[in-house]
PDB file of all heavy atoms in Angstrom:
ATOM      1  N   ILE O 103      70.767  29.357 -57.101  1.00 97.00           N
ATOM      2  CA  ILE O 103      70.792  30.596 -56.227  1.00 97.00           C
ATOM      3  C   ILE O 103      71.499  31.582 -56.905  1.00 97.00           C
ATOM      4  O   ILE O 103      71.064  32.854 -56.789  1.00 97.00           O
ATOM      5  CB  ILE O 103      71.417  30.243 -54.833  1.00 97.00           C
ATOM      6  CG1 ILE O 103      70.448  29.221 -54.092  1.00 97.00           C
ATOM      7  CG2 ILE O 103      71.558  31.473 -54.095  1.00 97.00           C
ATOM      8  CD1 ILE O 103      71.099  28.570 -52.882  1.00 97.00           C
ATOM      9  N   GLU O 104      72.657  31.406 -57.631  1.00 96.00           N
ATOM     10  CA  GLU O 104      73.372  32.376 -58.409  1.00 96.00           C
ATOM     11  C   GLU O 104      72.472  32.975 -59.423  1.00 96.00           C
ATOM     12  O   GLU O 104      72.433  34.236 -59.576  1.00 96.00           O
ATOM     13  CB  GLU O 104      74.649  31.804 -59.018  1.00 96.00           C
ATOM     14  CG  GLU O 104      75.708  31.461 -58.017  1.00 96.00           C
ATOM     15  CD  GLU O 104      76.866  30.704 -58.615  1.00 96.00           C
ATOM     16  OE1 GLU O 104      76.923  30.527 -59.800  1.00 96.00           O
ATOM     17  OE2 GLU O 104      77.734  30.228 -57.801  1.00 96.00           O
ATOM     18  N   LYS O 105      71.611  32.227 -60.120  1.00 96.00           N
ATOM     19  CA  LYS O 105      70.666  32.748 -61.163  1.00 96.00           C
ATOM     20  C   LYS O 105      69.666  33.557 -60.441  1.00 96.00           C
ATOM     21  O   LYS O 105      69.252  34.661 -60.893  1.00 96.00           O
ATOM     22  CB  LYS O 105      70.012  31.561 -61.825  1.00 96.00           C
ATOM     23  CG  LYS O 105      70.904  30.792 -62.691  1.00 96.00           C
ATOM     24  CD  LYS O 105      71.448  31.469 -63.833  1.00 96.00           C
ATOM     25  CE  LYS O 105      72.187  30.499 -64.771  1.00 96.00           C
ATOM     26  NZ  LYS O 105      72.801  31.188 -65.978  1.00 96.00           N
ATOM     27  N   LEU O 106      69.238  33.114 -59.170  1.00 97.00           N
ATOM     28  CA  LEU O 106      68.171  34.009 -58.429  1.00 97.00           C
ATOM     29  C   LEU O 106      68.772  35.286 -58.073  1.00 97.00           C
ATOM     30  O   LEU O 106      68.087  36.292 -58.195  1.00 97.00           O
ATOM     31  CB  LEU O 106      67.914  33.180 -57.149  1.00 97.00           C
ATOM     32  CG  LEU O 106      67.015  33.919 -56.101  1.00 97.00           C
ATOM     33  CD1 LEU O 106      65.607  34.323 -56.723  1.00 97.00           C
ATOM     34  CD2 LEU O 106      66.828  33.057 -54.892  1.00 97.00           C
ATOM     35  N   LEU O 107      70.080  35.325 -57.698  1.00 97.00           N
ATOM     36  CA  LEU O 107      70.665  36.633 -57.392  1.00 97.00           C
ATOM     37  C   LEU O 107      70.701  37.596 -58.600  1.00 97.00           C
ATOM     38  O   LEU O 107      70.449  38.773 -58.466  1.00 97.00           O
ATOM     39  CB  LEU O 107      72.057  36.423 -56.803  1.00 97.00           C
ATOM     40  CG  LEU O 107      72.228  35.630 -55.522  1.00 97.00           C
ATOM     41  CD1 LEU O 107      73.625  35.372 -55.130  1.00 97.00           C
ATOM     42  CD2 LEU O 107      71.492  36.428 -54.432  1.00 97.00           C
ATOM     43  N   ILE O 108      70.950  37.153 -59.746  1.00 96.00           N
ATOM     44  CA  ILE O 108      70.950  37.875 -61.033  1.00 96.00           C
ATOM     45  C   ILE O 108      69.585  38.423 -61.324  1.00 96.00           C
ATOM     46  O   ILE O 108      69.331  39.567 -61.559  1.00 96.00           O
ATOM     47  CB  ILE O 108      71.558  37.041 -62.132  1.00 96.00           C
ATOM     48  CG1 ILE O 108      73.033  36.705 -61.949  1.00 96.00           C
ATOM     49  CG2 ILE O 108      71.264  37.765 -63.483  1.00 96.00           C
ATOM     50  CD1 ILE O 108      73.539  35.648 -62.969  1.00 96.00           C
ATOM     51  N   VAL O 109      68.617  37.520 -61.186  1.00 96.00           N
ATOM     52  CA  VAL O 109      67.218  37.898 -61.449  1.00 96.00           C
ATOM     53  C   VAL O 109      66.724  39.009 -60.525  1.00 96.00           C
ATOM     54  O   VAL O 109      66.128  40.042 -60.803  1.00 96.00           O
ATOM     55  CB  VAL O 109      66.249  36.660 -61.397  1.00 96.00           C
ATOM     56  CG1 VAL O 109      64.810  37.124 -61.397  1.00 96.00           C
ATOM     57  CG2 VAL O 109      66.564  35.752 -62.635  1.00 96.00           C
ATOM     58  N   ASP O 110      67.088  38.684 -59.191  1.00 96.00           N
ATOM     59  CA  ASP O 110      66.686  39.710 -58.141  1.00 96.00           C
ATOM     60  C   ASP O 110      67.198  41.100 -58.378  1.00 96.00           C
ATOM     61  O   ASP O 110      66.689  42.014 -58.182  1.00 96.00           O
ATOM     62  CB  ASP O 110      67.017  39.179 -56.780  1.00 96.00           C
ATOM     63  CG  ASP O 110      66.538  40.016 -55.672  1.00 96.00           C
ATOM     64  OD1 ASP O 110      65.336  40.164 -55.493  1.00 96.00           O
ATOM     65  OD2 ASP O 110      67.438  40.672 -54.955  1.00 96.00           O
ATOM     66  N   LYS O 111      68.578  41.027 -58.817  1.00 97.00           N
ATOM     67  CA  LYS O 111      69.230  42.393 -59.078  1.00 97.00           C
ATOM     68  C   LYS O 111      68.497  43.105 -60.209  1.00 97.00           C
ATOM     69  O   LYS O 111      68.222  44.316 -60.201  1.00 97.00           O
ATOM     70  CB  LYS O 111      70.649  42.165 -59.465  1.00 97.00           C
ATOM     71  CG  LYS O 111      71.433  43.353 -59.902  1.00 97.00           C
ATOM     72  CD  LYS O 111      71.964  44.111 -58.726  1.00 97.00           C
ATOM     73  CE  LYS O 111      72.908  45.196 -59.299  1.00 97.00           C
ATOM     74  NZ  LYS O 111      72.258  46.524 -59.479  1.00 97.00           N
ATOM     75  N   ILE O 112      68.170  42.384 -61.359  1.00 96.00           N
ATOM     76  CA  ILE O 112      67.429  43.004 -62.407  1.00 96.00           C
ATOM     77  C   ILE O 112      66.043  43.521 -61.952  1.00 96.00           C
ATOM     78  O   ILE O 112      65.740  44.639 -62.351  1.00 96.00           O
ATOM     79  CB  ILE O 112      67.271  41.954 -63.543  1.00 96.00           C
ATOM     80  CG1 ILE O 112      68.694  41.591 -64.202  1.00 96.00           C
ATOM     81  CG2 ILE O 112      66.260  42.514 -64.618  1.00 96.00           C
ATOM     82  CD1 ILE O 112      68.724  40.435 -65.141  1.00 96.00           C
ATOM     83  N   LEU O 113      65.318  42.726 -61.226  1.00 95.00           N
ATOM     84  CA  LEU O 113      64.049  43.224 -60.746  1.00 95.00           C
ATOM     85  C   LEU O 113      64.170  44.387 -59.872  1.00 95.00           C
ATOM     86  O   LEU O 113      63.450  45.356 -59.899  1.00 95.00           O
ATOM     87  CB  LEU O 113      63.390  42.103 -59.973  1.00 95.00           C
ATOM     88  CG  LEU O 113      62.915  40.880 -60.839  1.00 95.00           C
ATOM     89  CD1 LEU O 113      62.388  39.697 -59.910  1.00 95.00           C
ATOM     90  CD2 LEU O 113      61.770  41.304 -61.836  1.00 95.00           C
ATOM     91  N   ASP O 114      65.207  44.332 -58.929  1.00 95.00           N
ATOM     92  CA  ASP O 114      65.395  45.504 -58.079  1.00 95.00           C
ATOM     93  C   ASP O 114      65.738  46.720 -58.795  1.00 95.00           C
ATOM     94  O   ASP O 114      65.289  47.840 -58.527  1.00 95.00           O
ATOM     95  CB  ASP O 114      66.584  45.052 -57.091  1.00 95.00           C
ATOM     96  CG  ASP O 114      66.661  46.095 -55.865  1.00 95.00           C
ATOM     97  OD1 ASP O 114      65.554  46.451 -55.231  1.00 95.00           O
ATOM     98  OD2 ASP O 114      67.758  46.582 -55.626  1.00 95.00           O
ATOM     99  N   ASP O 115      66.623  46.659 -59.746  1.00 96.00           N
ATOM    100  CA  ASP O 115      67.019  47.784 -60.620  1.00 96.00           C
ATOM    101  C   ASP O 115      65.807  48.396 -61.380  1.00 96.00           C
ATOM    102  O   ASP O 115      65.783  49.594 -61.527  1.00 96.00           O
ATOM    103  CB  ASP O 115      68.078  47.418 -61.682  1.00 96.00           C
ATOM    104  CG  ASP O 115      69.430  47.132 -61.076  1.00 96.00           C
ATOM    105  OD1 ASP O 115      69.646  47.442 -59.916  1.00 96.00           O
ATOM    106  OD2 ASP O 115      70.314  46.481 -61.828  1.00 96.00           O
ATOM    107  N   LYS O 116      64.792  47.590 -61.613  1.00 94.00           N
ATOM    108  CA  LYS O 116      63.613  47.958 -62.347  1.00 94.00           C
ATOM    109  C   LYS O 116      62.456  48.419 -61.383  1.00 94.00           C
ATOM    110  O   LYS O 116      61.372  48.662 -61.754  1.00 94.00           O
ATOM    111  CB  LYS O 116      63.118  47.026 -63.349  1.00 94.00           C
ATOM    112  CG  LYS O 116      64.059  46.834 -64.473  1.00 94.00           C
ATOM    113  CD  LYS O 116      63.538  45.795 -65.470  1.00 94.00           C
ATOM    114  CE  LYS O 116      64.555  45.699 -66.619  1.00 94.00           C
ATOM    115  NZ  LYS O 116      64.006  44.989 -67.788  1.00 94.00           N
ATOM    116  N   ASN O 117      62.822  48.210 -60.084  1.00 94.00           N
ATOM    117  CA  ASN O 117      61.819  48.476 -59.007  1.00 94.00           C
ATOM    118  C   ASN O 117      60.546  47.677 -59.213  1.00 94.00           C
ATOM    119  O   ASN O 117      59.386  48.103 -59.114  1.00 94.00           O
ATOM    120  CB  ASN O 117      61.501  50.051 -58.952  1.00 94.00           C
ATOM    121  CG  ASN O 117      60.939  50.329 -57.651  1.00 94.00           C
ATOM    122  OD1 ASN O 117      61.099  49.664 -56.609  1.00 94.00           O
ATOM    123  ND2 ASN O 117      60.139  51.413 -57.519  1.00 94.00           N
ATOM    124  N   VAL O 118      60.739  46.357 -59.511  1.00 94.00           N
ATOM    125  CA  VAL O 118      59.595  45.427 -59.764  1.00 94.00           C
ATOM    126  C   VAL O 118      59.681  44.264 -58.757  1.00 94.00           C
ATOM    127  O   VAL O 118      60.750  43.756 -58.454  1.00 94.00           O
ATOM    128  CB  VAL O 118      59.740  44.837 -61.142  1.00 94.00           C
ATOM    129  CG1 VAL O 118      58.717  43.688 -61.349  1.00 94.00           C
ATOM    130  CG2 VAL O 118      59.595  45.919 -62.158  1.00 94.00           C
ATOM    131  N   LEU O 119      58.575  43.923 -58.244  1.00 94.00           N
ATOM    132  CA  LEU O 119      58.494  42.736 -57.313  1.00 94.00           C
ATOM    133  C   LEU O 119      58.012  41.547 -58.170  1.00 94.00           C
ATOM    134  O   LEU O 119      57.300  41.749 -59.184  1.00 94.00           O
ATOM    135  CB  LEU O 119      57.487  42.890 -56.237  1.00 94.00           C
ATOM    136  CG  LEU O 119      57.848  43.959 -55.125  1.00 94.00           C
ATOM    137  CD1 LEU O 119      56.699  44.180 -54.189  1.00 94.00           C
ATOM    138  CD2 LEU O 119      59.099  43.575 -54.395  1.00 94.00           C
ATOM    139  N   ALA O 120      58.439  40.336 -57.883  1.00 96.00           N
ATOM    140  CA  ALA O 120      57.974  39.181 -58.546  1.00 96.00           C
ATOM    141  C   ALA O 120      56.890  38.405 -57.876  1.00 96.00           C
ATOM    142  O   ALA O 120      57.091  38.287 -56.546  1.00 96.00           O
ATOM    143  CB  ALA O 120      59.211  38.259 -58.871  1.00 96.00           C
ATOM    144  N   ASP O 121      55.909  37.981 -58.512  1.00 96.00           N
ATOM    145  CA  ASP O 121      54.888  37.106 -57.886  1.00 96.00           C
ATOM    146  C   ASP O 121      55.574  35.667 -57.733  1.00 96.00           C
ATOM    147  O   ASP O 121      55.451  35.152 -56.703  1.00 96.00           O
ATOM    148  CB  ASP O 121      53.685  37.019 -58.762  1.00 96.00           C
ATOM    149  CG  ASP O 121      52.522  36.436 -58.006  1.00 96.00           C
ATOM    150  OD1 ASP O 121      52.381  36.690 -56.857  1.00 96.00           O
ATOM    151  OD2 ASP O 121      51.603  35.910 -58.724  1.00 96.00           O
TER     152      ASP O 121
END
Side-chain angles (χ1 to χ4, degrees):
I103 294 167
E104 288 171 8
K105 298 288 185 181
L106 173 62
L107 296 174
I108 292 168
V109 169
D110 185 65
K111 172 86 171 94
I112 292 168
L113 292 171
D114 192 48
D115 287 349
K116 294 181 178 195
N117 201 24
V118 172
L119 293 175
D121 198 26

